[in-house]
Amino acid sequence: MTAMTFQLLGGIGLFLLGMVLLTDGLKAFAGDALRRALVRFTGTPLKAFGSGALVTAMVQSSSATTVTLIGFVSAGLITFPQAVGVVMGASLGTTGTGWIVSVLGLKVSVGFYALPLVGVGAFMRLLGSGRWKSLGLALAGFGLIFVGIENLQQGMHGLAGVFDLGALPTTGLWGHLLVMVIGILMTVVMQSSSAAVATTLTALHTGTVSFEQAAALVIGAAIGTTVTGALAAIGGSVPAKRTALTHVLFNLATGLIAIALLPVFLWGLGLGQKYLGLEPGAVSLAAFHTAFIAFGVLLFLPFAEGIARRIERLLPDRGPHLTRHLDDSLLQAPPVALEATRRTLSDTARELFGLLRAVLRGNDGSLDDPRRPQIAQALEQTRDFFARIPPVREDEALSHARVEQMHAIDHLIRLHERSLPPAAVQRMLTHDKLQPAVEHCRSVIEQAQAGLFGHTPEDWLNRIEQQVRVLEELHQQERLTILHSTAGGEWGPVEALAALETLRWLERVALHAWRICNHLGNHEIPRASDMEDAAPGDPPPDTQP
């Protein structure tokens, strides 16, 4: 009894450890390739499903895909309707574990031959460098999976002689539901549907349970795997809760349908064994796992967008709109976190540009505009979030992105400070003689806002630069004109000084807006003329883009 218990617990533990090492190793070895693939191929629900299934099959962990997906949705890289397709794909992709166990782990006793893989992988992890260390981790994990399966087989042989699991009900809806609940509990205790499926496959292979019982246990494992994500989403962001709820609803609905139609699936497997040469036992169970998840995908994937809309209405996002992309879970993935801050800064800049357009219209109400404190709060939260993103010194592109965003934050703070002009400047913005300068500044702000929305031609940054250059020249010309006009009495001293201050304000506002767009865009940063208000580290004067 003790030896059997030790072998069962040790086998499950080795299998779980192997899965963790394999998943972590493959994720680190692939680097950002998996993230880019997940983002790139999610244009339609079908593409999103395909990318979710492929990525999950590669890393052998639906939980890893789901966690990454939550981060992408939070960062705005993937829309929630696309995420629904990825969740369905992840559920199908994780059935690959059953095929590995049934085809390799149980048909051939590879536990002994997998031991060298563990040794080679460990040495690669200790002595290798770069991505080879990650590959070594994955190899060691792959070997441990089969060592764990061999121990599970030995433990299951002993379990069959101690506990008569065959006494559990095998027929009828209530009997199937009872066994399904046992499968859910197994998965919750093990914290891994892969381990629960592997245990079930091993029990079936050793004759500890019948095929019908094993099928209900696998359905329970598919439902139970959502519990971990649901618990993790408690207290999390709205995207995390939405994604977890989607996972729960899809797997629960698919599992209940599979339980209701279990006789039909068993009949279909019988036909496959008879006419298609499908092997009975563990291989047929792996086929059943894939089949009922695929049936759920066929049933629900066409309605992915409608499902997403209903879940969005059920869990609305009531948090600050400008900082909706900032989620602490993203800090574990610096590339995604930086993309989240870039999008947040772009949203904040657009809001700030809209506020400045109201100021330039001479709207007195803009001085008490409620957007001003919201923008200040968003900048503060973004700055704090940005400061907590771990540096990635070996990645030149990410380091460059960090520097660009630092510049953008600096200019946004400076521009926000100027969004509340002095009373004298506010009055002078409606002065007839200053309207050419006001119009140029307004044009810069409008183009900058439209550019960040993506509603402008490709050369929008060059057009903004031209407007800034014209405004600089206009400032110099009008400054001399106003100063000379005071001698003839056309401008009073107080009014003239207010006009000069207004021209400086207009020029600085336009310059900050231009630089913000440059630093947040995907273009090479154009160089601006040196000005007394330029931020330290900004490009030197008279340098071409």
Side-chain angles (χ1 to χ4, degrees), residues 80 87 229-230 233 239-251 310-311 314-315:
F80 182 64
V87 167
K241 293 177 180 177
R242 287 174 177 172
T243 305
L245 181 59
T246 302
H247 198 194
V248 170
L249 291 178
F250 173 71
N251 282 32
R310 287 181 178 274
I311 293 177
L314 184 64
L315 293 173

Side-chain angles (χ1 to χ4, degrees), residues 162-200:
V162 177
F163 297 105
D164 185 13
L165 297 181
L168 291 173
T170 58
T171 59
L173 179 61
W174 292 109
H176 294 156
L177 286 173
L178 175 61
V179 178
M180 182 190 76
V181 171
I182 295 174
I184 294 174
L185 295 176
M186 281 176 56
T187 307
V188 172
V189 171
M190 295 180 182
Q191 291 290 294
S192 169
S193 63
S194 296
V197 170
T199 303
T200 302

Side-chain angles (χ1 to χ4, degrees), residues 298-335:
L298 291 174
L299 199 61
F300 295 112
L301 186 60
F303 308 102
E305 294 183 357
I307 293 171
R309 285 194 297 269
R310 287 181 178 274
I311 293 177
E312 285 174 338
R313 286 196 296 268
L314 184 64
L315 293 173
D317 193 349
R318 296 188 176 92
H321 177 72
L322 293 178
T323 55
R324 66 190 184 280
H325 296 312
L326 303 183
D327 190 328
D328 286 349
S329 65
L330 304 181
L331 296 173
Q332 301 175 5

Side-chain angles (χ1 to χ4, degrees), residues 38-68:
L38 196 59
V39 172
R40 183 177 180 183
F41 302 109
T42 52
T44 64
L46 185 60
K47 288 182 179 179
F49 161 76
S51 64
L54 180 62
V55 169
T56 305
M58 290 179 66
V59 301
Q60 283 300 298
S61 173
S62 61
S63 298
T65 304
T66 304
V67 170
T68 304

